Structures are given as structure tokens and as C-alpha cells.
Amino acid sequence: MRIAVVASPTEVGSLAAQVVERVLRAGASVLGVATGSTFVPVYEQLARVHERDPFDTSRLHFVLLDEYVGLPATHPNRYGNEIVRLIADPLGVPPDRVLAPDVDASNLESACRSYETLLRELGGADLQLLGLGRNGHIGFNEPGSSPTSRTRLVHLTPSTIDANRRFFECIEPPSAVITQGIATILESKQVLLVATGHGKREAVRRFLTGSLDLDLPATALWLHPNATAVLDRESARDHDG
Ligand code: F6R
């Protein structure tokens, strides 16, 4: 695990964008994407780099880490729509190359299996981007998730629903998602975890102990041979390394 602690969320954005840029310039064609406030500066920086010195995105696919169940397909908070807006559009990747589990399917179990098949057919993510939940989740693998879990339907914990409430103005946030499992995430060729802000401090402190803790799903990333964590000073304040 490579760990970088930088001064601010903007610097986290720049450093994380550099990691993504390097992978894309090396010819990656599958980028695993996460959403959430931590990724706003990351995608902004990446869009800026692309505008200054474009990289080839003609073969690039985005694969979503997770998607809400129960929002209409056109809802702006659907993660697929956010990814189109925040990063696919700026990088010139058409919406049909933004791939997500079929959360509108009548059979969600089979939709989860199909997503696993799709990821396998694409050869897996060259780089999977990950945010960190206050409770230590990655994707929406909530505390207690098995390191062998695959893409599946998850009912979110009350604390996660509450944390998502800030993104929803007039309606209750969805209580279910389809998320890649921890084993699915670990099959990516490279993983990049980003975390910022004091709200993540406790999760970051436990993550940085470096030992697998089922109660803090992000610790599973220590099992990955090519993992990087980019943190800001606020989130890593209790880290003395
Ligand atoms: C979203 C996702 C979540 C978020 C995490 C952090 O696609 O997978 O794990 O990355 O909840 O969210 P923010 O960045 O909003 O604190």
C-alpha cells in the first residue's frame, strides 16, 4: 500500500488525478469510477488535465462501482448520470460507454450476475477509484461485508442513508444500492482510495492500522498488491507515519 498525505482536498484531487492520468496515458481502457463529494475535485482536476493535454479516450469505458436502486433513470442523483456529467462528458466518453449494473431490472440478482460477467468480459478495471465511508465502507460494502463478496443488492445502514441525505433535496435518499463486492473490487488491477475531511478521521485511523478488520471494509484493500491511498491532512490527523 502506498500512502500519500497531502495538505488539502484540492491537493488530493491533483494527486489522484495524476494517478488516473498515468494509467490512462499508459493505455488503460477500463476505469472503475466512484461518486460522492470526495471525487468532485478529482474529476475537476482530471477534466482540466485532459483539456490542457488530451489523452486518448476513444476506447475508454467507465464501470460504476455502485448505483442506487429505486431512482428513475433520468434522476440527476443516479450515479451513472453524475458520472456522465462530472467526468465522461468532459473526457469525451459517450454515455453508452458508462456501464452500470441494471438497477431497473425486474430480477436484481440476475442483474448483479450480469454485471460481474460484463466486468470479466472487459478484463476487469485497470484502475478502480474508491471513496471511504465514515463507517469504513468501500463501494457500499457496509461493515461486516465479506472479503469474498461479489456484486449484490445491499440495504444501506441508517448512518449511510443519513450521510447521503445531503445530496437529496426533496426526496428521501434511496435505501438500497447494487454495489460491486469486495472480492470484485480486489480483482481490479489497481485500486486508489481517496479520503478527505475530519469526518473520515476515525475510519482513516482504523484503515491505517493495516490489519484486516471485517468491521472496517476498507482494510481489505491491504490485501491488494497495487493499492494507493491519497488522504488529506484533516482525515489523517491521527496518523503518525
Ligand atoms: C459512492 C461510493 C461511496 C462513497 C463514500 C464516500 O459511489 O461508492 O463509497 O465513495 O460514501 O462518499 P463522500 O465522498 O461523499 O464522502
Side-chain angles (χ1 to χ4, degrees):
M1 175 78 62
R2 291 172 294 272
I3 294 166
V5 180
V6 296
S8 65
T10 311
E11 286 187 30
V12 167
S14 303
L15 190 53
Q18 276 171 34
V19 174
V20 180
E21 181 193 2
R22 203 172 311 129
V23 169
L24 295 183
R25 291 210 193 277
S29 59
V30 185
L31 181 64
V33 280
T35 48
S37 48
T38 315
F39 278 97
V40 172
V42 178
Y43 295 144
E44 274 174 5
Q45 290 292 334
L46 192 61
R48 222 166 277 153
V49 171
H50 181 66
E51 200 179 285
R52 251 196 335 256
D53 182 12
F55 27 83
D56 179 15
T57 57
S58 59
R59 291 182 324 116
L60 183 59
H61 286 81
F62 290 114
V63 291
L64 263 67
L65 178 59
D66 36 40
E67 180 59 280
Y68 284 125
V69 175
L71 289 181
T74 53
H75 197 284
N77 286 107
R78 277 269 281 242
Y79 287 150
N81 297 334
E82 283 194 10
I83 289 297
V84 167
R85 212 169 45 241
L86 286 173
I87 195 61
D89 261 0
L91 262 53
V93 173
D96 63 352
R97 279 196 268 126
V98 176
L99 307 174
D102 181 6
V103 290
D104 303 313
S106 53
N107 183 337
L108 292 176
E109 257 181 50
S110 128
C112 294
R113 281 195 300 275
S114 302
Y115 196 55
E116 287 276 333
T117 306
L118 175 71
L119 292 173
R120 241 188 333 271
E121 283 170 0
L122 286 169
D126 293 300
L127 171 65
Q128 177 63 58
L129 305 178
L130 299 159
L132 179 68
R134 280 171 183 242
N135 64 4
H137 68 217
I138 46 171
F140 283 107
N141 294 284
E142 298 281 46
S145 297
S146 163
T148 61
S149 54
R150 317 284 328 183
T151 300
R152 67 200 185 290
L153 177 70
V154 164
H155 296 282
L156 300 172
T157 59
S159 76
T160 297
I161 297 174
D162 219 41
N164 289 342
R165 188 158 279 127
R166 67 195 196 279
F167 299 117
F168 288 83
E169 276 174 11
C170 307
I171 57 167
E172 271 296 289
S175 58
V177 297
I178 288 182
T179 181
Q180 287 188 32
I182 295 181
T184 320
I185 291 168
L186 292 177
E187 279 169 9
S188 312
K189 297 182 188 80
Q190 188 176 342
V191 293
L192 172 62
L193 178 77
V194 293
T196 57
H198 69 273
K200 304 291 169 69
R201 202 173 286 170
E202 177 59 13
V204 166
R205 186 190 66 73
R206 290 171 63 195
F207 167 71
L208 290 173
T209 59
S211 44
L212 183 64
D213 174 358
L214 293 190
D215 228 32
L216 199 96
T219 56
L221 299 177
W222 287 89
L223 302 171
H224 197 289
N226 192 354
T228 306
V230 178
L231 313 166
D232 75 342
R233 224 174 267 149
E234 268 294 293
S235 68
R237 183 158 288 179
D238 298 331
H239 173 51
D240 50 13

